[in-house]
Amino acid sequence: MYSKEFEASLKAVEAARAANVAYEPARMTAKEKEDLLAEYHPDYKKSEFAKLRIGPNKGESVPHELCEMLEAHSRIKPEDVDLTSPAYDVDVLIIGGGGAGASAAIEADNAGAKTMIVTKLRIGDANTMMAEGGIQAADKPNDSPAIHFLDAYGGGHFAAKRELLAKLVTEAPEAIQWLNNLGVEFDKAPDGTMITTHGGGTSRKRMHAAKDYSGAEIMRTLRDEVLNRGIPVIDFTSAIELILDERGRCAGAVLMNMETKELMVARAKTVIIATGGAGRMHYQGFPTSNHYGATADGLVLGYRVGAKLLYADTLQYHPTGAAYPEQIFGALVTEKVRSLGAKLVNRDGKVFMHPLETRDVSAASIIRECTDRDEGVDTGNGKAVWLDTPMIEMIGGEGTIEKRIPAMMRMFEKYNIDIRREPILVYPTLHYQNGGLDINLDGSTTNVENLYVAGEAVGGIHGRNRLMGNSLLDVIVFGRNAGIHAAEKSKDVTVGELTLEHINRYDAERADAGIETNAVSPKLLPDYTRKKSEARLDRIRKGNINNHGTYY
């Protein structure tokens, strides 16, 4: 089944395993981390970014793929839409049916607001569902929100908006309690105490989990709560343009049925963007761990009406995406695998980094190992490194993997790989949108009234890198936050005359900048047609993209 080189590498890993279990690799110094990131992390590859020529962030750099969407034409013209007869009229319109959107809907409903969710797939088809490792909260005696803050602030390169991060960590214990009361089945000891573990960049064990189905369990609970409350959910319907009133305040959205392409108008006193991330944009040709609809739609919708972006030039590449077999290329291998004791080793069985460095440092280390050091394993679809999973059972005892990470075991078991006895091959995968729309403490955008944002579409909560477990946390904390404040604000809003005039203004700005493009946005769904794939492969052959870009 395997080549001689592959078999030799596997034997080297097995031979070194006993020594590697006991080996404690040193953590990098701050200077070593800075140099490593500058040389190897994709965010530092200047050729893969373009400067925006129009909009509120004009002159700032974003990935080429995102730039194309931000500078593209709207999917509609103002005259295409009858704004005088809305199909829906609500207090709070939530765009997106993941963890942030569901949390917002529950709290808005609690506040008595007439609330509706619109989602282009189904409620729960979101990155929340695919999160595995856990959710952070400082709720143990040897921990505190202050320590949590320091871990996250440093892990994000001291770039987070301090007031947002402070809200995230101080409200984390309550978020866990809220989820627990709703019915989330967290891992607990026999006495009911929640079991917690470390994550990359954490100085305390504060990762709460539901085995390695954490996001799925949270999303199941939130979805059931939304549906049990009777909150309307409009599935398979995309928001393709925001609507303003004559005073420039957000006042709803133009919706499109994904099957029939029928256009509908939803009027709303407040709008919450909770559209998630951008993994399916496949920046720099990377594979992704994201769900099918993660195409940065919320950034486009907000940007075109004047909402500012923050840190849109920074993405998170999860260090451990599955690199073999090809059928699951890019699928998430949760950080929990490393928190339970598995170490990253190269072709020769050598541990080349501390297993719980922050994600950006870990990803850059793996890329260096597979490129300049040429110590990666050839999978037939690029280079990768080993994640030595059998170490987990050597440390925690037989049965630990099945008990603590059953989803990982079953994902590889489908391809006749028993991770209890065999290591697995990994390489960084596009995982999280660190940047997004700039918000105030109440979740409102900084310069478009009545427009709120929650979840992965927000920029600034995590700075320029996110720690494990803080994304499931932010969808809860800031989802609830947006729902509470949008509902409260809606009580004092009288919606004015609806208008799509901002489309014409944006078209004029594009023309003045001399931009010629046939692109339309938001993207809505990824394009995997042969033409797109061949164009991507051409960029790979020219050396502009990493050697794993063939996924796209």
Side-chain angles (χ1 to χ4, degrees), residues 339-448:
S339 73
L340 290 173
K343 291 187 175 78
L344 290 158
V345 297
N346 64 18
R347 179 182 60 196
D348 300 320
K350 179 183 176 182
V351 176
F352 59 90
M353 58 164 283
H354 192 284
L356 291 178
E357 293 283 7
T358 56
R359 285 179 172 177
D360 54 351
V361 170
S362 299
S365 296
I366 292 170
I367 292 171
R368 177 176 64 181
E369 207 70 13
C370 292
T371 53
D372 283 8
R373 290 184 174 177
D374 195 25
E375 289 290 344
V377 180
D378 188 355
T379 68
N381 192 27
K383 296 290 182 73
V385 297
W386 295 106
L387 182 56
D388 200 2
T389 49
M391 287 184 176
I392 295 172
E393 306 246 310
M394 293 174 69
I395 295 167
E398 187 175 347
T400 301
I401 285 176
E402 186 168 11
K403 180 180 179 182
R404 302 294 298 277
I405 48 171
M408 283 294 95
M409 189 180 81
R410 290 176 185 128
M411 181 170 77
F412 283 93
E413 203 171 50
K414 291 177 183 177
Y415 304 98
N416 299 316
I417 297 172
D418 185 349
I419 68 172
R420 296 169 295 185
R421 295 171 177 81
E422 303 171 65
I424 56 178
L425 286 161
V426 296
Y427 189 82
T429 184
L430 186 53
H431 184 60
Y432 190 81
Q433 179 177 269
N434 288 324
L437 295 162
D438 196 6
I439 64 168
N440 300 307
L441 195 56
D442 65 356
S444 61
T445 55
T446 55
N447 56 336
V448 179

Side-chain angles (χ1 to χ4, degrees), residues 270-288:
T270 56
V271 175
I272 300 174
I273 289 176
T275 52
R280 292 289 168 169
M281 299 288 282
H282 293 288
Y283 298 134
Q284 300 190 39
F286 273 82
T288 186

Side-chain angles (χ1 to χ4, degrees), residues 472-546:
L472 280 179
L473 178 59
D474 94 50
V475 301
I476 304 303
V477 170
F478 285 92
R480 295 180 68 197
N481 179 61
I484 290 166
H485 287 101
E488 184 63 28
K489 181 66 184 296
S490 72
K491 295 175 183 177
D492 300 321
V493 173
T494 300
V495 178
E497 181 182 351
L498 303 185
T499 174
L500 290 169
E501 184 54 33
H502 70 274
I503 297 175
N504 291 332
R505 289 196 297 270
Y506 204 75
D507 287 346
E509 188 178 358
R510 185 190 308 104
D512 289 344
I515 300 171
E516 295 184 5
T517 177
N518 293 322
V520 296
S521 63
K523 193 179 186 74
L524 301 183
L525 295 173
D527 185 351
Y528 293 119
T529 59
R530 183 176 297 276
K531 182 179 179 181
K532 285 282 185 180
S533 298
E534 288 177 349
R536 178 64 58 168
L537 283 168
D538 185 56
R539 290 182 69 197
I540 294 164
R541 294 186 191 103
K542 291 177 180 177
N544 293 330
I545 301 181
N546 70 87

